Structure formats: C-alpha cells, structure tokens
Amino acid sequence: MMGHPRPLWMLFMTEFWERFAFYGIRWALVLYIVAQFHGGDASGQASASHTYGAYLALVYAGAIFGGYAADRIIGYQRSILTGAVIMAAGLFMIALPNQQVFNFGLATIIVGNGLFKPNISTMVGKLYGLKDERRDSGFTIFYMGINMGAMISPIITQVLAQKIFGTDAMPAYKVVFIAAGVGMLISLLWFWFGRAKLQGIGAPLPGNESMGAVVKVLVACAVAIPLMYLLLAMGAKTLQVILTLMFIGLGVMLLVEGIREGAVARDKVVAMLIIFAFNVLFWCFFEQAGSSFTFLADEIVDRGFGSWTFPTAWFQSVNSVAIITLAPILAWLWVKLGRANPSIPRKFGLGLIFNGLAFLLLMIALASMVDPATNKIPFWTLFMVYVIQSVGELCLSPIGLSMVTKLAPVRLVGFAMGGWFLSTGIGNNLSGLFAGMVSGEEGMTVQSAQAGYTMGFWILIGAGVLLFLIAPLIQKLMHGVK
C-alpha cells in the first residue's frame, strides 16, 4: 500500500491512538499537580516538573524490560496487547483526585508503556529487510502517525476540560485523563483486530506459545507497579543515579553480545552507545514542552488575540503540526541528496543544533522582547520555538529508531530499542530537574527563564558542534550503515 507493507498502516493507526492517549495528558499533568496537590501555589511548579520528568523517564526506561519480555518471553504482539490493557487501567486511575492513587496510576502507565512502546517500533523494523531502502521512509511515515495522534489530542482534551465539562478558571482535568483512557482502549482494539495482517511477524518464540508465559509477565508487572511507585517517590535526583547505573549495565550487556558476534558487531554497538549519549542531551531540553514551556506559556507568553485567548494546551499541538508538515519534505530531501545525504551522526548533530537555535530565540525574546506593561513575550516566539525544535526532532528521532534496528546485535534488537528509550528517559528526567531550576523556589519569572534557557542554548550548540567533529569516527565504527 503506497509502496510499503500493508501492516505498516495498521501499526500506524495503533500508534496513532496510543499517542492520542499519551499526549492527551501531557499538557495537563503539571498544571493539575500544581492545582490539585499544591493548592495552585506557583511554588509547586518545581515539584510538578520533577514529577513529570521522573514519570517520563520511567516511561522510557521501562522500555528496556518491555523489549526484553518481547525478545525472550511473549513476543512482540502479546507485549503490545498486554501493555495496552495496563496503560488504559493507569489512565483511568489518575482521574481519581487522590495523590497516592494518582501516583499509582502513573506507575501503572509506566509499566504498560514499557511493554507497548519499544515493541511496536521494533515491529515496524521487522516489516523490512535490513537493506530495504524503504526502511527510513517507513519509519518516517510511522513517525507521522505518532504526531497525528499527538496533534489532535491536546485540542480535543482541552475543549473537553475547559469548554464542555469545566471552565478556563477551573478545568475538569479528570475528563482529560478519562478521554486518554478511551483512546488507549481504541488502540488496543485496533491492534487486536488488525494483527492478522502481520502473518506471524512478532509472534512468540517456539516454546512460549502458551498463555503461561503471559501470566508470568503479568505477575512481573504486578511487582513492577509498586516498584515504579517507589521510584517516583524517591525524587528525580535519586532516580537519575539509578537510571545512569541502568544505562551503564545495558551498555555492558550490549557490548558483550556485540563482542560475541565479532568485531564488526562490537564496533556498531560502540557507535550506537555514543549516539545514545548525545540523545540524552537532546531530550533533556526538548522535553521542556511538558514542563517549563507549559508554565512559560501559561504565565509569560502573551496569548491574547482580541477577546480570544490561545489555550495553553494547544501549544502541545504545534510540534505535531510542524512534524506532519515537514516530515514529507525531509524524507524527500534525504532521498534527493543521494550520496550527499548527511550521515546518521551528522543528522543527530543537526538535531542538537536546531534545538539550540530554539533556545536562542527564547533567550533573545526574554532579554529584549518583554512587554513592560504585561511582563510577557510575544506569542509568535514560543510558537516558533516549537517549530524550530520540530526540525531538530525530525533530524534525530525517526532516524534514531531506524538506526537501532540496523546497529543492534541481531539477538537483542528489542533490548537495544529499550536502550534507545532509556537514553531518552534519562534526558527526560534531566528535563524535569532543569525545568525545576528554571522555575526556582517561588515559580517561574522572566529572569529565571532567561538564565535557564541561555544555559540550554550553549549546551546544545556545544554538543551539536562536537558531534559534527567526531562524526567521521562514528561513521567508521558503523561499517557502512547509512
């Protein structure tokens, strides 16, 4: 269909509804935490950012175990179905206005997402041969599915929460979470009825076809949910130490497997781990969208257009609109460039640099564009920040998914995909810590935002330039992988 395997479109829609659920709650989480558990006091912004960053970090870190469960125990199809059920349960739990139940709900979402997210991405890779030239294009199409779901969910959930079941002054956040849970159930049903098209791709390994293997995974999930709850309770700083140790352990396991497969496989693993490290930096600053950028939009951006105010939630859709608009252009550009197509490391370098340019715009806006009457910066500045970041994301994220399936040891592709998400998770946890610093102890101000975003600019530009310089070395380690 359109030059790609038919199951790609089934996976596209499954991921569309899962992302509807995931991004539907993204805009509301930190605002809800401040309103519900801190009485609306701005001093709760740092704590909310830490919780948000830790939650996202564990969502992505959980992908390691989900990838391993799919690789070795229940297969990719059953992992996706099991994860969808657990995620839906967690989304409905966080609708209850109790902090302990809320945190247990977040823990449940984390475990479910760990089984779902890495494995549906791995399934896309399994639709293509290793040398199939459609592979990168297929991942880009799949990435558009992610962003279509992410685009419409903030708009729909905001209207439900602030126009139908609540007001701008008192949003009905629980409706956001319930709508996300319904979206997750649709994702589950879509995959359940569409999986026949896969014709055995992602089925359990021989010897694990019985439901006993699924029961074992469910028991492990029942143990993992309280563990995730405890990790959330430990705080972002302690969690950062744990995640770093996990990343080191994962790297060692992948290296051992690479060495076992030979020098070429070993070098590919080394190249992949280096890129993982730069991926951490990218997501540390990109993921301000759900934390400090939300507070920035709510308090320091002029969102007024006459009698109408642009909803804070809708900023979450700007990134997705930009991705959907620009993804076909970049996909065409990579093919058009032919041999001049930038290498994978240099595409990552471009991703970091564009992310840095977004922070440069904020740095300039906060230094010289603040309206003295309102103490706010123009609407277009934050809007363009999301657009510029989207260009960087397109240079990095879909290429990263494809890269893992090309560089990972053959027996541990799902585990390596979990490693990709773990590096993203580490970046997300750091994003919460960074956002907490930007907000300070009393809530975000123009001065605190300017200082934090200036730091972000210099770190991103420095990392991007460094990656460009060492790109030839990394490309050599990749042994011809494009």
Side-chain angles (χ1 to χ4, degrees):
M1 185 175 179
M2 293 178 64
H4 288 273
R6 285 186 176 274
L8 174 66
W9 304 98
M10 183 275 291
L11 297 175
F12 176 102
M13 287 305 300
T14 301
E15 181 72 347
F16 169 91
W17 283 108
E18 186 273 333
R19 290 293 91 179
F20 175 93
F22 190 83
Y23 282 92
I25 69 172
R26 188 189 194 202
W27 71 271
L29 276 177
V30 291
L31 297 175
Y32 174 72
I33 291 170
V34 171
Q36 183 69 34
F37 305 130
H38 294 274
D41 194 319
S43 63
Q45 289 181 7
S47 175
S49 293
H50 290 174
T51 298
Y52 176 76
Y55 154 71
L56 278 186
L58 290 169
V59 159
Y60 286 104
I64 298 177
F65 303 105
Y68 186 85
D71 280 336
R72 299 295 181 89
I73 305 174
I74 59 174
Y76 299 96
Q77 291 188 27
R78 287 181 173 180
S79 290
I80 291 167
L81 291 169
T82 306
V85 171
I86 295 172
M87 279 185 73
L91 287 163
F92 288 119
M93 287 173 67
I94 63 174
L96 300 174
N98 177 281
Q99 189 162 12
Q100 283 68 42
V101 175
F102 177 82
N103 288 335
F104 263 110
L106 290 180
T108 304
I109 296 169
I110 288 164
V111 172
N113 192 270
L115 285 169
F116 187 104
K117 183 62 180 168
N119 296 316
I120 196 162
S121 300
T122 302
M123 290 278 284
V124 173
K126 287 183 176 293
L127 299 178
Y128 301 90
L130 288 176
K131 296 185 179 180
D132 192 328
E133 293 181 354
R134 302 174 298 168
R135 194 182 187 90
D136 281 2
S137 176
F139 270 101
T140 300
I141 291 170
F142 178 71
Y143 207 66
M144 287 178 69
I146 293 174
N147 284 280
M148 286 179 68
M151 176 187 71
I152 68 168
S153 58
I155 297 171
I156 292 174
T157 54
Q158 182 272 331
V159 170
L160 290 172
Q162 294 182 300
K163 302 301 178 185
I164 298 177
F165 294 99
T167 65
D168 292 341
M170 294 189 65
Y173 290 114
K174 67 178 181 180
V175 176
V176 175
F177 307 143
I178 291 169
V182 171
M184 197 63 236
L185 290 178
I186 296 174
S187 176
L188 168 65
L189 292 173
W190 202 286
F191 187 80
W192 175 267
F193 289 109
R195 61 199 173 112
K197 296 178 182 179
L198 293 167
Q199 298 181 343
I201 296 173
L205 294 172
N208 285 329
E209 297 94 341
S210 72
M211 290 302 295
V214 177
V215 171
K216 290 179 183 177
V217 170
L218 287 173
V219 170
C221 290
V223 174
I225 290 172
L227 176 61
M228 293 300 117
Y229 176 88
L230 291 174
L231 289 173
L232 282 171
M234 285 180 182
K237 292 181 180 178
T238 303
L239 180 60
Q240 188 60 40
V241 175
I242 295 170
L243 293 174
T244 302
L245 293 174
M246 286 174 62
F247 185 75
I248 293 170
L250 174 137
V252 169
M253 291 178 69
L254 288 172
L255 273 174
V256 168
E257 183 65 24
I259 291 168
R260 185 180 292 122
E261 292 185 11
V264 172
R266 176 204 63 203
D267 289 350
K268 287 181 178 180
V269 170
V270 171
M272 183 172 64
L273 292 175
I274 292 172
I275 292 175
F276 281 1
F278 284 96
N279 189 52
V280 168
L281 279 178
F282 179 86
W283 293 104
C284 170
F285 296 101
F286 182 89
E287 201 43 66
Q288 296 306 301
S291 50
S292 74
F293 286 1
T294 296
F295 294 126
L296 184 76
D298 204 44
E299 299 177 9
I300 302 179
V301 174
D302 183 359
R303 297 179 286 114
F305 292 88
S307 60
W308 181 71
T309 300
F310 185 89
T312 297
W314 289 13
F315 276 109
Q316 302 295 328
S317 296
V318 176
N319 167 250
S320 301
V321 172
I323 293 289
I324 293 167
T325 304
L326 298 173
I329 298 172
L330 277 185
W332 169 83
L333 179 62
W334 299 146
V335 175
K336 189 70 175 177
L337 286 173
R339 292 185 178 180
N341 191 357
S343 64
I344 289 174
R346 287 205 162 131
K347 284 178 180 173
F348 269 71
L350 286 171
L352 288 161
I353 289 169
F354 274 104
N355 201 354
L357 292 176
F359 276 78
L360 175 63
L361 177 56
L362 277 181
M363 185 173 75
I364 293 170
L366 290 162
S368 59
M369 299 183 192
V370 178
D371 186 330
T374 62
N375 205 36
K376 293 184 176 183
I377 60 175
F379 169 86
W380 70 266
T381 56
L382 183 57
F383 185 95
M384 286 307 302
V385 162
Y386 279 100
V387 174
I388 297 167
Q389 280 193 322
S390 300
V391 178
E393 183 185 3
L394 278 171
C395 291
L396 180 146
S397 195
I399 307 304
L401 294 173
S402 180
M403 173 203 72
V404 172
T405 62
K406 294 175 182 177
L407 295 181
V410 175
R411 295 198 312 150
L412 292 179
V413 176
F415 189 62
M417 191 66 78
W420 165 259
F421 289 115
L422 174 60
S423 69
T424 303
I426 292 173
N428 286 330
N429 191 60
L430 288 172
S431 80
L433 292 170
F434 178 77
M437 181 194 74
V438 172
S439 287
E441 294 182 2
E442 302 299 326
M444 182 180 291
T445 63
V446 170
Q447 292 72 27
S448 67
Q450 182 186 353
Y453 296 149
T454 299
M455 179 192 300
F457 163 72
W458 287 112
I459 292 173
L460 285 165
I461 292 297
V465 170
L466 174 61
L467 189 49
F468 253 80
L469 293 175
I470 66 173
L473 171 61
I474 299 174
Q475 195 63 42
K476 185 177 180 180
L477 290 169
M478 292 168 68
H479 290 276
V481 170
K482 301 295 185 182

